[in-house]
Amino acid sequence: MVVKPRSTVENAPVAEVLAILAGGQKVKQRILRMRACNEKDSKGAPCCGHLKRWYGFSGEVTEKFGSQPEIYRCERCQTLYVPNPQEEPRSAVQSF
Ligand SMILES: [Zn+2]
């Protein structure tokens, strides 16, 4: 059994905040293969809550991210995440 070294905090990519909703809820973009929330609490400790597919979004979310957005929500701090564009590429061409 191989134990992989944990990546250091310094090397960890930062999930970009894409939007902050009217209620103060953040929408962040997931880092590739990200499965746990990296939002920091008031003491600077990462949340580490699980990201779950979520469908309870408001009109504000569909306005920003399309009518059927793929949205994940942290089960602890409720921060929203959208998939990384490089993750599970679809047939659609990515354009910026
Ligand atoms: Zn969280």
Side-chain angles (χ1 to χ4, degrees):
M1 185 179 154
V2 179
V3 178
K4 290 183 184 170
R6 283 172 185 243
S7 60
T8 63
V9 173
E10 289 75 28
N11 291 334
V14 176
E16 192 184 346
V17 177
L18 299 179
I20 297 177
L21 303 183
Q25 200 170 26
K26 284 185 197 171
V27 183
K28 298 168 84 173
Q29 184 165 85
R30 282 168 65 180
I31 299 159
L32 283 176
R33 291 178 290 279
M34 185 180 193
R35 291 289 176 269
C37 178
N38 69 350
E39 187 67 12
K40 290 189 169 41
D41 68 14
S42 54
K43 292 170 193 141
C47 168
C48 292
H50 284 125
L51 307 183
K52 291 191 169 166
R53 187 74 190 264
W54 184 66
Y55 298 93
F57 39 81
S58 66
E60 195 184 357
V61 171
T62 55
E63 238 171 62
K64 288 182 167 69
F65 300 101
S67 59
Q68 294 190 309
E70 191 179 339
I71 299 279
Y72 296 82
R73 188 177 72 158
C74 170
E75 62 184 4
R76 287 188 66 190
C77 72
Q78 327 276 279
T79 296
L80 302 184
Y81 286 83
V82 298
N84 190 293
Q86 294 168 47
E87 201 164 8
E88 297 163 22
R90 308 284 162 90
S91 54
V93 176
Q94 300 287 343
S95 59
F96 289 92

